[in-house]
Amino acid sequence: MPSFDTVSELDSHELTNAVDQANRELTQRFDFKDTGASFTLNEKESTVQLKAPAEFQLRQMMDILTQRLGKRGIEAKCMEKKDPVTNLAEARQDVILRHGIDQDTGKKLQKMIKDSKLKVQAQIAGDKLRVTGK
């Protein structure tokens, strides 16, 4: 019986390259020179931490990161942006990169497949949605 899996995965190598390119762009831009702004990637937790002297620079950095991820084939929809944390010295913001299909999204997809009246079966298996049929 033929089947296929619907999966949302992040390529960690492309993620690393995108963050490296974003850091390189920060060192080359005039408005970020010698400010100490940086992107820090935590691969185990799939998070990127943005650090800048001011909150408005965090928004500029978010645009840079989104562009670099997009050019590397990582969709901007997988980014979950946390609220910025500011103090007198610096501003920080965490971005969580989600991968896999969560239970709620999997159930919505499963319901859409059943409502389409196709002769297939959909089942959620971990962070995947498997569709089988004749």
Side-chain angles (χ1 to χ4, degrees):
M1 195 176 260
S3 67
F4 65 90
D5 291 337
T6 305
V7 182
S8 174
E9 292 181 348
L10 288 176
D11 186 1
S12 63
H13 184 68
E14 292 296 333
L15 178 61
T16 304
N17 287 340
V19 172
D20 288 344
Q21 283 182 343
N23 272 324
R24 256 186 263 126
E25 185 170 337
L26 286 182
T27 60
Q28 294 173 354
R29 283 184 52 161
F30 178 75
D31 53 344
F32 283 104
K33 282 207 187 255
D34 298 327
T35 60
S38 67
F39 295 98
T40 308
L41 173 65
N42 184 347
E43 287 188 48
K44 290 181 182 177
E45 297 176 5
S46 294
T47 60
V48 179
Q49 184 181 54
L50 288 69
K51 184 175 80 169
E55 189 173 343
F56 78 92
Q57 289 178 326
L58 286 178
R59 289 191 294 272
Q60 294 173 342
M61 290 174 64
M62 189 63 70
D63 290 339
I64 292 170
L65 182 63
T66 304
Q67 289 174 356
R68 296 298 156 223
L69 289 173
K71 287 189 178 186
R72 289 288 179 171
I74 299 173
E75 192 71 32
K77 291 179 183 179
C78 75
M79 293 174 30
E80 181 183 331
K81 303 168 189 169
K82 296 291 184 181
D83 292 331
V85 177
T86 58
N87 58 26
L88 294 175
E90 66 184 8
R92 292 177 185 247
Q93 185 174 11
D94 289 332
V95 176
I96 300 171
L97 299 163
R98 296 178 308 215
H99 54 88
I101 298 175
D102 59 345
Q103 288 289 74
D104 294 336
T105 307
K107 287 180 181 179
K108 286 178 187 176
L109 288 172
Q110 189 176 21
K111 184 177 180 343
M112 289 171 59
I113 290 171
K114 285 185 179 182
D115 291 344
S116 69
K117 304 288 186 199
L118 294 173
K119 294 184 179 182
V120 295
Q121 296 174 345
Q123 60 186 10
I124 302 168
D127 59 351
K128 300 177 188 177
L129 179 73
R130 176 162 287 164
V131 180
T132 57
K134 292 184 179 181

